[in-house]
Amino acid sequence: MASLPEIQAMKRALELALLGRRAVSPNPMVGAVVLDSSGNSVGEGFHEKCGAPHAEINALSEAGAAASSGTIVVSLEPCCHYGRTGPCTDAIIKAGIRKVVIAMRDPHPNVSGKGIEQLESAHIEIETCVLLDEAELLNRVYLHYLRTSRSWVTLKMALSMDGRTAAKDGSSRWLSCEESRKQVHRMRASAQAVMTGAGTVRDDNPELTARFTDQPLEEQPVRIVVSATGDLGNSRKIFGKTGRVIIAVPENVSCKLQKFQREFGADIWGFPADSTGYGFNLTLLLERTASEGFGEILCECGRGLATMLMRKKLVNTLSVFTTPLILGGEGLPAFEKLGIDSMVDSIRLENVRSSLSGTDTHLEGEVVYGTD
Ligand SMILES: NC(=O)c1ccc[n+]([C@@H]2O[C@H](COP(=O)([O-])OP(=O)(O)OC[C@H]3O[C@@H](n4cnc5c(N)ncnc54)[C@H](OP(=O)(O)O)[C@@H]3O)[C@@H](O)[C@H]2O)c1
């Protein structure tokens, strides 16, 4: 069993891992802490960006000679293969580490238990599954990517107390308090891409950039607009700031969007028209975004795109800010029909986190579909 200092070190390793969130995706976030032979923390590290040294290497180099006969506590099974960096197992063995404490095995086909086997054959003591649930939650985007080859979608919505996203006339400003809006800017800042539907672009003319963050962002998140028609009305703010803009449309309308490519440098992604005759298959879009390295996408859209994503079971986290006002049955609902006839078919959330956000409540959790 892991000792108290080892469990505390794992909590710290998970905190450190999170520091790499935007830069490593869709690779896993990893943190590591080295304890000397008396259990004192002597080195810390995390995986800072793709291609950079792994967490274990950073922690071991900070620890130096103090790592000898010590313990390394790491949030993911150490790698044992030559990728862009050398195997961490070799570095651990060379440093004279006596025990390795691991939160979760790495399901990547190049590792998948082989890292642990190598360490065991070097007579190093192994302890696994320490804070496993926390580590799996932290690396849900990576695990999802390995399983599906798709980006993880966090659908964020601001709702009235009666579940409306906008008033009857389409106005939705401001359906959340100032504190919640700041929180959304922080969410944008940590996402690699922000996605919306053409309806929101036409109605709200949003920028979808991260503003009001503690520190100015070096790079704005990529903005993705999903459209079946290619009609963005007269809205142009989405092109107004630096950073990449992608417009995803059915192939047969992509030619009419060349003007956005010429004028604003937007990328036009065309997908085969869906067999239903409406738009394109959103799964293909999320496979393409994943292949371009966008592990997690924050989606801020109206009911049209939200419904299509939900119907295809493509929403992974739902993040809802509820504000204390009522818009009545005239208001626009969060979703159109989702084929739910009975409570047994309902879509639920797990790992629910709830908090107050100014005068709003913020509720977030991972989506479990009726038939999951
Ligand atoms: N409260 C909130 O959190 C919130 C957030 C955002 C927006 N809103 C409100 O929502 C309203 C707009 O709602 P909305 O439903 O029109 O906007 P939307 O969901 O942002 O966009 C809907 C559009 O997305 C495109 N789309 C959806 N599925 C597609 C598919 N499979 N293939 C290709 N394109 C697809 C279609 O584009 P085409 O139109 O080109 O066919 C569709 O009309 C506004 O009143 C806005 O203020 C509220």
Side-chain angles (χ1 to χ4, degrees):
M1 238 180 58
S3 67
L4 194 59
E6 287 165 357
I7 294 171
Q8 276 162 349
M10 186 62 84
K11 282 188 185 150
R12 177 68 187 144
L14 292 169
E15 276 171 17
L16 289 165
L18 199 57
L19 299 174
R21 182 172 178 175
R22 199 177 184 206
V24 301
S25 188
N27 287 346
M29 290 178 259
V30 189
V33 174
V34 177
L35 304 175
D36 67 11
S37 50
S38 315
N40 303 309
S41 173
V42 287
E44 290 188 347
F46 67 99
H47 183 32
E48 293 176 21
K49 63 176 185 185
C50 291
H54 288 180
E56 298 91 316
I57 306 299
N58 290 334
L60 286 170
S61 77
E62 192 174 295
S68 179
S69 302
T71 298
I72 187 161
V73 177
V74 57
S75 60
L76 185 74
E77 176 181 3
C79 73
C80 51
H81 60 285
Y82 282 90
R84 281 186 271 190
T85 58
C88 290
T89 46
D90 286 2
I92 291 170
I93 296 165
K94 208 167 144 207
I97 289 285
R98 187 186 53 82
K99 181 176 181 186
V100 180
V101 178
I102 298 166
M104 59 179 264
R105 282 171 184 255
D106 187 349
H108 192 288
N110 286 342
V111 188
S112 189
K114 295 196 250 331
I116 292 175
E117 273 168 30
Q118 268 191 22
L119 294 168
E120 276 174 340
S121 54
H123 309 292
I124 291 175
E125 187 187 341
I126 304 288
E127 179 86 45
T128 56
C129 303
V130 176
L131 303 187
L132 174 66
D133 291 347
E134 289 85 341
E136 285 185 343
L137 185 63
L138 177 84
N139 271 317
R140 57 190 188 263
V141 171
Y142 170 64
L143 296 173
H144 174 74
Y145 173 67
L146 282 186
R147 230 183 19 251
T148 66
S149 303
R150 291 197 305 261
S151 300
W152 179 277
V153 175
T154 294
L155 173 62
K156 169 254 142 189
M157 296 185 130
L159 300 183
S160 64
M161 284 184 87
D162 51 343
R164 305 278 139 179
T165 55
K168 183 184 173 186
D169 64 359
S171 56
S172 63
R173 276 189 188 165
W174 294 109
L175 196 46
S176 45
C177 70
E178 198 182 329
E179 177 50 38
S180 300
R181 297 202 299 276
K182 281 191 185 151
Q183 171 69 12
V184 171
H185 282 279
R186 288 192 288 271
M187 289 166 80
R188 287 181 190 167
S190 67
Q192 290 170 302
V194 181
M195 178 164 84
T196 193
T200 299
V201 173
R202 286 190 298 267
D203 288 356
D204 297 353
N205 195 10
E207 256 185 50
L208 290 186
T209 50
R211 308 180 296 280
F212 317 117
T213 48
D214 299 337
Q215 284 168 354
L217 271 195
E218 275 177 33
E219 212 181 326
Q220 285 292 342
V222 171
R223 278 93 70 200
I224 303 173
V225 182
V226 179
S227 175
T229 60
D231 175 12
L232 305 188
N234 295 320
S235 302
R236 297 290 179 267
K237 274 196 192 166
I238 198 129
F239 304 108
K241 291 284 177 327
T242 55
R244 189 174 173 199
V245 178
I246 296 164
I247 309 175
V249 286
E251 270 162 0
N252 56 344
V253 298
S254 55
C255 54
K256 96 178 189 203
L257 294 175
Q258 300 311 319
K259 60 178 187 237
F260 292 112
Q261 197 169 35
R262 275 195 312 274
E263 274 179 54
F264 305 110
D267 287 343
I268 314 299
W269 286 2
F271 294 93
D274 194 66
S275 52
T276 57
Y278 176 73
F280 60 87
N281 183 346
L282 296 169
T283 307
L284 298 178
L285 169 63
L286 296 177
E287 285 170 358
R288 171 104 186 244
T289 51
S291 73
E292 298 235 351
F294 308 144
E296 183 171 4
I297 292 181
L298 177 67
C299 184
E300 299 185 49
C301 61
R303 71 192 182 289
L305 182 57
T307 301
M308 298 302 280
L309 288 166
M310 270 294 186
R311 283 186 189 156
K312 286 257 175 204
K313 303 186 179 182
L314 294 172
V315 178
N316 304 104
T317 296
L318 187 60
S319 180
V320 173
F321 292 87
T322 304
T323 206
L325 61 80
I326 305 277
L327 289 171
E330 306 88 323
L332 307 180
F335 299 102
E336 304 287 0
K337 287 183 181 167
L338 292 173
I340 299 170
D341 292 328
S342 161
M343 282 300 282
V344 290
D345 303 321
S346 59
I347 296 166
R348 292 170 187 271
L349 300 188
E350 62 180 16
N351 299 321
V352 175
R353 285 89 65 193
S354 62
S355 57
L356 278 179
S357 169
T359 51
D360 298 342
T361 52
H362 183 205
L363 197 129
E364 194 173 79
E366 279 57 65
V367 180
V368 182
Y369 294 91
T371 51
D372 279 3

